[in-house]
Amino acid sequence: HLRLYRKDGNTHWFLTHFTFMVPKKEISMVPDMGKWKRSQAYADYIGFILTLNEGVKGKKLTCEYKVSETVEKLVDLLGTLDRWINETPPVDQPSRFGNKAYRTWFAKLDQEAEALVSVVLPADKRAAAPEIAVYLKESVGNSTRIDYGTGHEAAFAAFLCCLCKVGALRVDDQLAIVFKVFNRYLEVMRKLQKTYRMEPAGSQGVWGLDDFQFLPFIWGSSQFIDHPTLEPRHFVDERVVNEHHQDYMFLECIKFINEMKTGPFAEHSNQLWNISAVPSWSKVNQGLIRMYKAECLEKFPVIQHFKFGSLLSIQPVKP
């Protein structure tokens, strides 16, 4: 497609390879899963996750990294979502879980998402806002069920992946994407989960890794690779968690679990307890990537909700 746009008062022609579209569901039955695994979207998504996994290897959350204007704008966007939680207190209701005030909060995002995304995009990419905003709306939980799970988390990673694909985020933003943007997203999600007592979506209970998240365990274990002193066995020690959680995403996750759950760690978080026995962080990291593919990306109940557009396409990977 040839498009016309104005820059510095001059008119330029430029080529776009696609027209943006509002993403839609494509995986409606279990046999469609093969279509997903062969898709360009799957290749782009997993490639994005693994690129970031390499990028954060051996790095602390508190290390120095470049913060671009787009990253700042994304942090502001997440700050807005956070502020809306403060403005939408939980309501009195008989059931403890799934506070209905969440629906009021969600309706605000539903209404504003496109405008919020427009602000983040460079002027010549604003046409992508309706497509990319869908992933933002999908990333904060389900307003009917008032639940949140790894499929919603995947939508946020997809949102960031789309911002990379349109050139709003770049290769040198890698550390900031995980340490500044994704980390801020996690803070807001934890606040949502706590404030509105959200249900875990499709949780495997004690057999799952965590009720709500997965990616911070992958990237968080990568941060620890080749750490001189901290080994996997240390993360079940509360003193270690309290001392180092500001530097390591993995420990932030453990800290949140410890705050939210009672009883012995081995009982409420059996999978993580087992992981603490793995000898090295690189083994933990590889194992978690395998587990993520098997438990999240290859599970129909998760992927049936994933949406495909021009940026994350259902088309098969070109051979």
Side-chain angles (χ1 to χ4, degrees):
H1 306 271
L2 217 48
R3 299 239 180 117
L4 194 62
Y5 79 117
R6 299 182 69 80
K7 188 177 169 189
D8 335 311
N10 302 318
T11 304
H12 298 260
W13 286 99
F14 76 112
L15 217 48
T16 57
H17 295 293
F18 45 72
T19 315
F20 297 112
M21 60 180 274
V22 175
K24 61 185 205 302
K25 295 180 185 182
E26 300 277 4
I27 309 300
S28 53
M29 299 175 303
V30 175
D32 295 334
M33 287 296 286
K35 198 162 66 160
W36 152 243
K37 283 185 245 178
R38 287 188 296 273
S39 72
Q40 190 60 54
Y42 182 87
D44 289 341
Y45 181 84
I46 201 72
F48 181 68
I49 300 303
L50 295 177
T51 299
L52 295 173
N53 188 59
E54 281 302 308
V56 301
K57 199 172 273 187
K59 303 266 202 310
K60 291 182 179 182
L61 287 169
T62 49
C63 76
E64 294 270 310
Y65 49 81
K66 178 198 138 206
V67 176
S68 65
E69 195 185 344
T70 304
V71 167
E72 293 285 14
K73 286 176 175 176
L74 284 165
V75 172
D76 290 345
L77 184 161
L78 292 163
T80 301
L81 302 190
D82 192 345
R83 195 180 72 245
W84 290 346
I85 302 175
N86 299 339
E87 293 166 7
T88 318
V91 293
D92 281 333
Q93 61 176 46
S95 106
R96 272 177 65 211
F97 286 96
N99 193 282
K100 291 180 176 49
Y102 171 78
R103 293 183 180 142
T104 310
W105 178 89
F106 187 91
K108 187 127 181 82
L109 173 60
D110 197 35
Q111 201 186 328
E112 302 288 334
E114 219 171 290
L116 289 171
V117 172
S118 273
V119 178
V120 172
L121 291 168
D124 62 328
K125 291 295 193 311
R126 297 257 155 94
E131 175 163 348
I132 298 177
V134 168
Y135 296 104
L136 178 64
K137 286 189 276 195
E138 296 275 323
S139 76
V140 298
N142 180 285
S143 67
T144 309
R145 294 186 302 273
I146 314 183
D147 67 6
Y148 176 96
T150 50
H152 302 111
E153 178 190 73
F156 192 74
F159 167 69
L160 297 172
C161 182
C162 287
L163 291 173
C164 288
K165 292 201 83 167
V166 296
L169 291 170
R170 297 169 197 273
V171 176
D172 59 354
D173 289 316
Q174 273 181 42
L175 282 174
I177 289 170
V178 180
F179 291 172
K180 214 167 168 66
V181 183
F182 193 82
N183 209 38
R184 184 72 180 102
Y185 164 76
L186 285 177
E187 288 171 7
V188 179
M189 291 310 104
R190 286 174 187 142
K191 187 165 168 176
L192 274 181
Q193 289 152 16
K194 241 176 167 161
T195 306
Y196 303 120
R197 299 297 301 266
M198 296 178 78
E199 300 267 21
S203 153
Q204 294 143 324
V206 71
W207 302 112
L209 185 66
D210 179 77
D211 281 344
F212 298 112
Q213 314 299 155
F214 205 118
L215 291 172
F217 292 96
I218 294 179
W219 296 330
S221 60
S222 182
Q223 282 185 275
F224 274 127
I225 291 174
D226 296 332
H227 193 285
T229 55
L230 294 176
E231 294 170 22
R233 65 191 167 92
H234 290 113
F235 76 73
V236 291
D237 179 341
E238 223 157 315
R239 277 175 327 199
V240 172
V241 172
N242 292 333
E243 200 178 325
H244 297 282
H245 70 91
Q246 292 95 340
D247 283 327
Y248 297 102
M249 209 169 230
F250 197 104
L251 300 184
E252 286 279 16
C253 291
I254 302 298
K255 185 170 174 280
F256 186 63
I257 291 171
N258 289 339
E259 283 166 20
M260 300 294 278
K261 305 223 170 193
T262 52
F265 191 88
E267 285 175 27
H268 63 63
S269 301
N270 190 260
Q271 279 280 26
L272 284 166
W273 178 258
N274 292 338
I275 285 168
S276 73
V278 175
S280 75
W281 283 111
S282 67
K283 281 269 187 292
V284 169
N285 185 244
Q286 289 158 12
L288 286 173
I289 291 165
R290 275 200 308 274
M291 186 176 167
Y292 185 61
K293 287 178 181 170
E295 297 302 320
C296 301
L297 301 185
E298 294 176 9
K299 284 279 185 282
F300 175 73
V302 177
I303 298 306
Q304 65 174 330
H305 303 292
F306 198 90
K307 292 183 176 173
F308 301 85
S310 70
L311 295 167
L312 288 169
S313 166
I314 192 63
Q315 295 306 316
V317 172
K318 295 179 182 68

